[in-house]
Amino acid sequence: MINLTQELYKFVSTNLSVTSSVERTGKGKGVADCHILGIDLDPVLIVRAEEANKFTSNVTYKCVNYMSDSENTISLYLKQQNRNYFDCIFCFSVTMWIHLNYGDEGLKQFLISVSVQTNLVVIEPQPWKCYRSAVRRMKRSGGNFPKFGNLKMRELVSDIENIFLNECNFIRIEKGNPSTDWGRQILFFKKVS
Ligand SMILES: C[S@@+](CC[C@H](N)C(=O)[O-])C[C@H]1O[C@@H](n2cnc3c(N)ncnc32)[C@H](O)[C@@H]1O
């Protein structure tokens, strides 16, 4: 999360010309006034991310459980930015954790909630084989994922795509070929306007 967010900020702020932001700030064309909120459930990760943050005016990290953002951290951040929604939400390697902890319905609610907060989603679903390893690791450490046995969605790429298409009014605009050792697909969805 740390490196990804920092690199994303560098890329967007130097390479993209975001017309609306340029207009809002009055900065010269080609300089995107990009603001990024990076969230994670793990407070240790957030402290590390804050320590490594080279762009403190534009990149903010917050410890949030996306599934129960009781302090409304995300909507408060948007309000501070004078925005009602994000330009883009990135969900890398997180769907499995939401799914294992909150079940099929939780994953669906997560995707719907993401779709309400943005027009564009970049998402990297973990495939089913990763679930088995995560459950094994959890068992070895003495814990368990009680919802695992009841999960019906197991073709994660198509299941997630179906939710975006059928429940969120989004269309898939790109599907990256797995080109890393990870072998994971990155999917891009856009709100149908
Ligand atoms: C495999 S890591 C991926 C981290 C990061 N997205 C990346 O690509 O480097 C999964 C992360 O999801 C976080 N996570 C799991 N459930 C979450 C939730 N409900 N809300 C926020 N973060 C969550 C975990 O704390 C963990 O750091």
Side-chain angles (χ1 to χ4, degrees), residues 100-142:
L100 282 171
N101 285 310
Y102 297 91
D104 286 339
E105 196 48 37
L107 179 61
K108 189 170 148 187
Q109 280 315 314
F110 168 73
L111 300 173
I112 291 174
S113 171
V114 163
S115 74
V116 169
Q117 288 178 328
T118 186
N119 287 334
L120 187 64
V121 180
V122 181
I123 190 162
E124 180 202 35
Q126 288 112 320
W128 186 249
K129 64 176 185 206
C130 296
Y131 286 53
R132 293 210 207 87
S133 333
V135 170
R136 268 198 304 274
R137 284 199 306 275
M138 181 60 116
K139 271 193 187 141
R140 275 203 294 273
S141 67

Side-chain angles (χ1 to χ4, degrees), residues 128-193:
W128 186 249
K129 64 176 185 206
C130 296
Y131 286 53
R132 293 210 207 87
S133 333
V135 170
R136 268 198 304 274
R137 284 199 306 275
M138 181 60 116
K139 271 193 187 141
R140 275 203 294 273
S141 67
N144 74 332
F145 289 109
K147 295 195 186 283
F148 175 64
N150 295 325
L151 299 183
K152 300 224 168 12
M153 291 195 262
R154 296 181 177 199
E155 296 295 331
L156 280 310
V157 167
S158 55
D159 288 329
I160 287 174
E161 179 159 349
N162 284 338
I163 294 171
F164 275 120
L165 262 53
N166 301 325
E167 313 275 343
C168 307
N169 204 25
F170 272 51
I171 49 161
R172 180 165 56 72
I173 51 170
E174 191 65 77
K175 190 188 228 172
N177 281 324
S179 58
T180 61
D181 294 344
W182 254 164
R184 298 213 190 133
Q185 264 179 332
I186 298 186
L187 313 171
F188 295 69
F189 294 96
K190 185 177 180 290
K191 191 171 277 172
V192 178
S193 46

